[in-house]
Amino acid sequence: MNFKNFFLKYQNIFFYKILENQLDNYKTVLDVGCGHSSPLGKIRNKFKSEGIDIHKKTLETSRKNKTHDKYTVGDIKKLSKIYKNNSFDACVAIDVIEHFSKRDALKLIKDMDAIAQKKVILLTPNGFYEQHNYDGNPHQVHKSGWTKADLEKLGYKVYGLRGLKFLRDNHAGIKYKPWFFWGVCSFISEIIFFPFPSLSFDLYAVKTINKNNKK
């Protein structure tokens, strides 16, 4: 295996470990807009998970990989009509909110906050990155960009992932050559700049839900 393939295989290991720790001891997790290759399938867990996505072909792939315990084909813009409040310990939306307008994404986040009893986790690019549909899935288009301040206003604690922002292109690939050098720089910078989301490529936002404040 050459370095490029090795890096592509293991580049998200730091993120997976963070996500694994964040969801430790939870019993149920709703994966919103789960896609065909959810990070929940890459971490050790003891929880029951449900994946929801509007794209049937995507869910078929995820089902074959046995990523989740249950699947629902549904429009996540109507999440509050599909799931009851407080019905999951945690909700996660990995690389999802950028696929909606700000208005629709804010409603989605509000719905997730209501559905989760304990925690909501979001992952989204730091700022707007253009992306068109691919793999026959029109829902892959990017429609909004998010900042640390946007998510903090919603009560989220925000961290940085995937290393320094300038090292990656619009599709999160390493921008420069040689791959070995800049890949290592990206991996190391991800750990160093985790507390500095404004400098990072991705924003990792976590909100701990206070059950006493929930209706």
Side-chain angles (χ1 to χ4, degrees), residues 33-91:
C34 63
H36 61 81
S37 183
S38 171
L40 294 191
K42 307 294 193 333
I43 66 175
R44 291 180 297 176
N45 65 75
K46 298 178 182 179
F47 53 75
K48 296 290 185 180
S49 66
E50 179 171 343
I52 178 171
D53 203 290
I54 197 172
H55 196 243
K56 292 182 180 180
K57 184 178 179 181
T58 287
L59 283 185
E60 289 172 3
T61 301
S62 184
R63 185 179 284 109
K64 288 179 182 178
N65 294 332
K66 298 180 180 180
T67 304
H68 301 88
D69 300 287
K70 182 179 178 181
Y71 290 94
T72 297
V73 178
D75 185 353
I76 61 175
K77 288 194 291 186
K78 303 175 182 178
L79 202 66
S80 61
K81 296 182 179 179
I82 302 173
Y83 300 102
K84 296 180 180 180
N85 288 0
N86 306 316
S87 53
F88 288 84
D89 285 341
C91 290

Side-chain angles (χ1 to χ4, degrees), residues 177-190:
K177 296 181 179 179
W179 256 81
F180 178 82
F181 177 77
W182 292 110
V184 170
C185 288
S186 177
F187 185 81
I188 294 174
S189 70
E190 179 176 41

Side-chain angles (χ1 to χ4, degrees), residues 25 58 71 74 81 90 98 113 174 178 198:
N25 296 322
T58 287
Y71 290 94
K81 296 182 179 179
E98 65 272 17
D113 286 355
I174 298 299
S198 296

Side-chain angles (χ1 to χ4, degrees), residues 28 83-89 111-118 209 211 214-215:
T28 56
Y83 300 102
K84 296 180 180 180
N85 288 0
N86 306 316
S87 53
F88 288 84
D89 285 341
D111 289 345
M112 292 175 66
D113 286 355
I115 292 167
Q117 292 192 56
K118 300 178 181 179
I209 306 296
K211 292 173 63 176
K214 297 193 74 171
K215 296 182 180 179

Side-chain angles (χ1 to χ4, degrees), residues 35-210:
H36 61 81
S37 183
S38 171
L40 294 191
K42 307 294 193 333
I43 66 175
R44 291 180 297 176
N45 65 75
K46 298 178 182 179
F47 53 75
K48 296 290 185 180
S49 66
E50 179 171 343
I52 178 171
D53 203 290
I54 197 172
H55 196 243
K56 292 182 180 180
K57 184 178 179 181
T58 287
L59 283 185
E60 289 172 3
T61 301
S62 184
R63 185 179 284 109
K64 288 179 182 178
N65 294 332
K66 298 180 180 180
T67 304
H68 301 88
D69 300 287
K70 182 179 178 181
Y71 290 94
T72 297
V73 178
D75 185 353
I76 61 175
K77 288 194 291 186
K78 303 175 182 178
L79 202 66
S80 61
K81 296 182 179 179
I82 302 173
Y83 300 102
K84 296 180 180 180
N85 288 0
N86 306 316
S87 53
F88 288 84
D89 285 341
C91 290
V92 302
I94 308 300
D95 291 324
V96 172
I97 61 174
E98 65 272 17
H99 298 286
F100 295 92
S101 67
K102 275 287 181 70
R103 180 179 179 179
D104 287 341
L106 288 170
K107 180 183 181 301
L108 174 61
I109 294 170
K110 183 179 179 181
D111 289 345
M112 292 175 66
D113 286 355
I115 292 167
Q117 292 192 56
K118 300 178 181 179
K119 186 171 289 181
V120 178
I121 295 174
L122 308 172
L123 183 74
T124 190
N126 179 13
F128 179 77
Y129 288 88
E130 187 174 17
Q131 178 174 289
H132 303 289
N133 62 306
Y134 63 88
D135 287 341
N137 186 354
H139 305 288
Q140 291 290 350
V141 176
H142 283 185
K143 297 181 179 179
S144 62
W146 297 79
T147 66
K148 173 177 177 282
D150 289 334
L151 297 171
E152 286 181 335
K153 288 178 182 178
L154 301 176
Y156 284 76
K157 178 67 177 176
V158 186
Y159 305 91
L161 284 174
R162 286 189 172 170
L164 287 167
K165 184 175 181 179
F166 75 89
L167 294 178
R168 294 180 178 269
D169 59 27
N170 283 11
H171 299 286
I174 298 299
K175 187 185 297 185
Y176 306 109
K177 296 181 179 179
W179 256 81
F180 178 82
F181 177 77
W182 292 110
V184 170
C185 288
S186 177
F187 185 81
I188 294 174
S189 70
E190 179 176 41
I191 299 171
I192 295 173
F193 289 93
F194 182 66
F196 306 101
S198 296
L199 300 174
S200 300
F201 182 84
D202 270 346
L203 303 176
Y204 178 74
V206 181
K207 185 174 186 179
T208 300
I209 306 296
N210 186 343

